[in-house]
Amino acid sequence: MRFVYNSVLRWRTDAFFKEQQAVGYTQASARLTAIKTLPETAFLNEVSSVPLQQCLRHQQAAFKSFFEGRAKYPAFKSKKHRQSAEFTRSAFRYRDGTLFLAKCDEPLAIRWSRPLPCEPSTVTISKDCAGRYFVSCLCEFEPEALPVTPKTIGIDLGLKDLFVTSEGERVGNPRHTARYAARLAKAQRRLSRKTLGSKNRAKARLKVTRIHAKIADCRTDRLHKLSRRLINENQVVCIESLAVKNLIRNPRLSKAIADAGWGEFVRQLEYKGGWAGRQVVGIDRWYPSSKRCSRCGNTVASLPMQIRSWTCPECGTAHDRDVNAAVNIKAAGLAVLALGENVSGIGQVPLSCSR
Ligand SMILES: [Zn+2]
């Protein structure tokens, strides 16, 4: 795949710079056929032609983005990065949980993460930079809405706790990076001592990427479990919409935020909510959720970050900072749903209203 992509890309680049010729998909595809007849690249005939053509289609899309000014010039694919091959319907067969690829006699030995809802329309085989193989199947299905529940919840995202709910539940943030930091540092030190381009360096690099992959897996697994639980239990989930990208630019906070995975968490809540017929409501992050007393509505002038609990000067209610914020977020979210839009000029933006 990479070989075809890169050799056709080189050929296209030459045509573009030497002869000022733009090459279309048809010519690129003809070029592929020509390459396949050469004796030194005869191995290309041993695999299905579909993923080879598919990668040229992706290259075509990359060129289109470039010519329309949306992207940089297409780059060569590196052996070190994620590799993938895309099989469209004519190039695979799926029967009762077994997957056969074209030009392969044996079915793929797959450990399924879940049963497929139907026959897939596209199958992508990929190898990540940690050397692990994955099969992803594109399936179209009708999502089944969960039975309606009367429960609603507000969520305040944080760093020390991943989130605090309006019911007072705290879900801790197990800083996965910190747990693996020592192992990662050791692996990286070893890598830095290896000679450039050597076999041992490649092995050491694989070790480093394996630890990175492990950290990422722990994180997404946990986020999936948490988002699943919130969506199953609640009809409406109100959450602060985050400008995560802006926050990540703050170098002091960025590592902790990337570790917490807020963006991914909100994404999961949204799509799972959409499938289950639940509502996920985003509240503008400039809404003073922390500084407002959730009991009487009084807003205090300032509430420095280090103050974790406070007492409202108006009504005397003692507040936990995060729980109070979560209760306010829930109230604001419900107001958004009831009124449709702007509440008292604060300007709340729903992340999505899927139903
Ligand atoms: Zn109050």
Side-chain angles (χ1 to χ4, degrees):
M1 231 57 56
R2 187 183 69 248
F3 173 80
V4 168
Y5 190 96
N6 286 347
S7 60
V8 174
L9 178 56
R10 171 152 301 131
W11 175 70
R12 277 182 134 167
T13 305
D14 287 349
F16 182 61
F17 285 103
K18 287 181 196 148
E19 293 149 40
Q20 274 73 51
Q21 249 186 358
V23 174
Y25 171 74
T26 327
Q27 289 119 298
S29 179
R31 173 73 183 178
L32 170 62
T33 318
I35 294 174
K36 281 167 100 174
T37 58
L38 300 173
E40 65 268 29
T41 51
F43 64 87
L44 290 175
N45 292 301
E46 289 165 23
V47 296
S48 163
S49 60
V50 171
L52 302 179
Q53 280 157 0
Q54 224 32 38
C55 86
L56 291 186
R57 280 200 189 95
H58 291 161
Q59 190 177 82
Q60 186 63 38
F63 268 102
K64 190 162 179 272
S65 303
F66 167 68
F67 285 126
E68 288 168 5
R70 272 178 286 127
K72 287 196 259 181
Y73 193 81
F76 288 103
K77 297 231 182 266
S78 157
K79 195 177 177 178
K80 291 169 200 162
H81 295 155
R82 182 177 175 273
Q83 323 272 315
S84 71
E86 202 176 282
F87 295 79
T88 49
R89 188 156 275 163
S90 61
F92 67 86
R93 232 161 9 100
Y94 174 79
R95 227 182 22 225
D96 313 325
T98 346
L99 194 62
F100 293 86
L101 295 181
K103 296 209 179 180
C104 297
D105 300 330
E106 295 286 306
L108 292 182
I110 299 177
R111 212 169 62 202
W112 295 97
S113 61
R114 77 189 70 166
L116 294 183
C118 62
E119 194 175 321
S121 58
T122 309
V123 169
T124 307
I125 314 282
S126 61
K127 182 186 171 199
D128 72 359
C129 47
R132 305 174 300 177
Y133 285 88
F134 294 92
V135 180
S136 29
C137 303
L138 183 65
C139 296
E140 263 180 40
F141 71 106
E142 264 311 304
E144 221 171 283
L146 290 169
V148 174
T149 119
K151 275 186 75 185
T152 57
I153 203 163
I155 283 174
D156 181 47
L157 294 170
L159 289 180
K160 195 173 133 284
D161 297 301
L162 173 65
F163 62 79
V164 175
T165 71
S166 52
E167 278 155 22
E169 186 195 354
R170 283 169 189 280
V171 172
N173 215 338
R175 301 296 298 278
H176 294 109
T177 311
R179 238 178 80 203
Y180 288 97
R183 272 171 64 190
L184 190 59
K186 195 171 156 198
Q188 273 164 341
R189 262 198 316 276
R190 285 211 175 125
L191 171 63
S192 67
R193 284 198 292 263
K194 304 284 189 266
T195 330
L196 270 176
S198 70
K199 276 225 171 88
N200 280 330
R201 190 183 170 87
K203 269 193 233 160
R205 189 184 38 243
L206 192 62
K207 272 219 173 94
V208 171
T209 50
R210 283 228 170 99
I211 298 173
H212 278 303
K214 181 81 197 154
I215 294 170
D217 284 357
C218 289
R219 181 161 49 218
T220 35
D221 180 59
R222 186 178 143 79
L223 292 180
H224 272 299
K225 282 178 182 149
L226 291 168
S227 59
R228 170 52 56 206
R229 179 158 69 83
L230 284 173
I231 291 298
N232 282 355
E233 289 174 358
N234 300 283
Q235 189 64 30
V236 179
V237 178
C238 308
I239 199 160
E240 264 175 309
S241 53
L242 303 158
V244 176
K245 277 195 179 139
N246 286 334
L247 284 170
I248 282 187
R249 287 202 195 106
N250 175 348
R252 271 214 341 236
L253 286 176
S254 62
K255 201 172 178 195
I257 292 174
D259 212 25
W262 289 351
E264 170 64 13
F265 186 60
V266 173
R267 187 192 71 83
Q268 290 178 6
L269 282 176
E270 285 186 324
Y271 86 79
K272 287 179 187 175
W275 284 357
R278 307 298 206 208
Q279 265 168 320
V280 177
V281 187
I283 308 302
D284 191 290
R285 72 193 180 99
W286 303 118
Y287 176 74
S289 54
S290 303
K291 289 188 275 188
R292 182 183 177 274
C293 168
S294 57
R295 180 131 179 252
C296 71
N298 170 46
T299 305
V300 295
S302 86
L303 199 62
M305 273 307 281
Q306 65 271 20
I307 294 179
R308 307 315 303 173
S309 56
W310 56 288
T311 305
C312 171
E314 288 287 318
C315 69
T317 314
H319 287 302
D320 172 279
R321 182 199 180 94
D322 304 322
V323 177
N324 178 58
V327 173
N328 279 327
I329 289 167
K330 174 176 163 180
L334 293 180
V336 169
L337 285 184
L339 297 178
E341 50 186 337
N342 267 8
V343 187
S344 62
I346 295 157
Q348 285 102 1
V349 189
L351 294 168
S352 72
C353 285
S354 26
R355 277 179 200 225

